[in-house]
Each structure stands twice: as structure tokens, then as C-alpha cells.
Amino acid sequence: MSSEVYRASVPSNIAFLKYWGKSDPAKKWPTNNSLSMTLDKCRTSTSCFLDFSLSDFEIFYDGKKIKEGDFFQKIRKHLCFLKSTFDFPGFLRVETSNNFPTASGVASSASGFAALTLASVAAWTSSSTFLELSQEGFSIQKLSSLSRLGSGSACRSLLGGFVLWEKGPSPDEQRVKKISCDWPLMDILIVLKQGEKKLSSTEAHVRVPSSPLFSLRMSQIEEKQKDFEEALKEKNIKKLGALLEQEALEIHAVIMTAEKPFSYLLDETVAFLSWMRQLRQKGLAQVYFTLDAGSNVHVICEEREVSNFLSFLKRDFPNLAYIKDNVGKGPLLTSSKA
Ligand code: PMV
């Protein structure tokens, strides 16, 4: 029996061009390509230990054993899928935690499923490095596809920097690729509200194609992807910012006009966005927003704007919590004796 513990530390990511709708839900085949920035500080750490004395998976979250509930079921389902697909022997003891508050607006399912996939496959194949994993048939591309089946956006968290998730011509030809760009952008997440979002992204993906705005979105999406890639290549913050804000508002407009409409936006969100616009119009800070399926705001800017922006934030919203992050290099894998 292996006595090694395999530990994955995987960052979350924030999408610039959003995954919003699926053509094939079972294979997590998105309706469009998406592009994201991998974060650096907001991470999930997951360690896995292969224990042949176990008759089922043992799962610990933040040091506490969990045996039921949605979160437990999702983890167990993904582990069972990996075990049966690759005929892996034995069960794992899994310990996982996030270093950021869950439901704060950082996508914990992205870092969570990528970390779970990476650590569990490492434990089952006794691989301590990415090279060993790839020699066992688990390249980053493969691990990314497996992570995607847990949560779509997780596939982008296994690469660092700026990442494109290409839908490809069929569900089995999807791939992720790194965009060559070394721009040290920041993401300051403004936590306007903590707590579970009221509509899961899984359900939102099902609803969005019913919006009359959806086909318009699809007709422009390739052009938009090109524009995003150009803005990154040119390191043009003004161009990137305009695209980010348009895209964020567009995905919210789409879900707000779906057959079963829903709004994630709070009055506080709308007020915060207009405060940011005013800062910009007055020439006080060059900061731009993006939004995920939630009410919290991600402020994207260049490094030199941060202290300036934070001083206005503290002046005008002294009680707001925020998480300061930046573009990161991607996942880490280590192993040690149990
Ligand atoms: O990966 P999911 O199913 O949680 O969907 C993520 C959807 C968005 O966060 C809104 C956009 C994205 O591309 O991450």
C-alpha cells in the first residue's frame, strides 16, 4: 500500500469571456469558447491518500468529516466516476479546504473540482509530479477534461495565466490552451454579499438559451473572443475594460430575459458599478468590473491602480470586505509521507 499523501493546490479563475449555456450538458460542451484569468491566491487545497482498508471514500472539509449533503454528494460522485472510468483500485481519504470564504463570489467549484481531480488521480497513479502523471496517461489536457466533468469552469484552472477553453467541433474535441500574455493584472473581489447564490450556474446554463438575446450573443461571440485576445496582446486596459463590462452585463441581461428569468444583481451591485464608473469618469482610477453568476463584483485593473483604488474604496465603503488577487501561475502538486 502506498503511504504517500498527494496534495494539489489549485487556484480559482475569473472568466473574462464567459461560459454561459451548454450544447451537451452531459459532456459539459459549452455553447461558446470562454477565456479566463487564473488567480494566484484564492486556492483549493486537496490531499488524497489511498487507503485499502476503506470500503468507501472518506471526505473531510475544513478538517471535519462530511457524510451527507449536496457538497459531499458532488465530491463523491466525481470520485466514483474517476474510479470506475479508469478502474482505479481502493478508496481514498480526501481532505479539502479553500483559503477563501465559500460563496464569497470566488468560483470554488472551479478550483475545487480541478484540485480534486489532480490530487485523486495523483494518488491512484502514485504520481508526485506533472511529468509522472503525464507518463501515466494523464496530461494536463486530460486532467482538464476530467475536471470539466465536475464543473465546466474547472477545466480552465489547471493552466496558469490567461486561458482559452475551446469548445471544438464536437464534445470530445474540447481543449484548453494558454494565451501567450504576461500581463500582471489584478482582480479585487468586492464581497457585497456572502452566502449561497439563489440560482446555481448549472440551472442558469439550462435557462439562458431561451432568452431572445441569446442568439444575438452567439452571433457576435467569435468577434468578441478576437477582441479580447487582441486587448490582452496589446495590454490595452481601456479596450479590455470595455469588453469586460459589456460581457458581464450581457450575461446578466441574458439570464434576466430567459423564459424563467432570474436576476443575480442586488441594488448594492448596481450602485457599486455606477460608483466605479464615476471613479473612472473623474479620472481617479482606471478600474473595470466583471461579474460571474452572483452579486459580487470583480474589479480588474493594472497593479499601479490598486493602492489608489483601495483608498477610495475604504473612504466610500469602509465596511466592505474585499479579496485582493492577481494573475497566477497555476496548480501545484506535491507529495509527502503519510
Ligand atoms: O462552471 P460552472 O458550471 O459553475 O459555470 C460557470 C459560469 C460562469 O462563472 C458565470 C462563467 C465562467 O465562464 O466561469
Side-chain angles (χ1 to χ4, degrees), residues 13-26:
N13 69 76
I14 174 71
F16 286 3
L17 179 65
K18 314 278 177 181
Y19 153 45
W20 207 223
K22 292 176 230 189
S23 303
D24 179 339

Side-chain angles (χ1 to χ4, degrees), residues 15 17-20 34 109 151-153 156 201-202 205 251 292-293:
L17 179 65
K18 314 278 177 181
Y19 153 45
W20 207 223
S34 57
S109 64
S151 171
S153 50
R156 298 184 308 238
S201 47
T202 309
H205 289 299
I251 68 153
D292 260 349

Side-chain angles (χ1 to χ4, degrees), residues 38 50 203:
T38 298
L50 182 59
E203 175 60 20

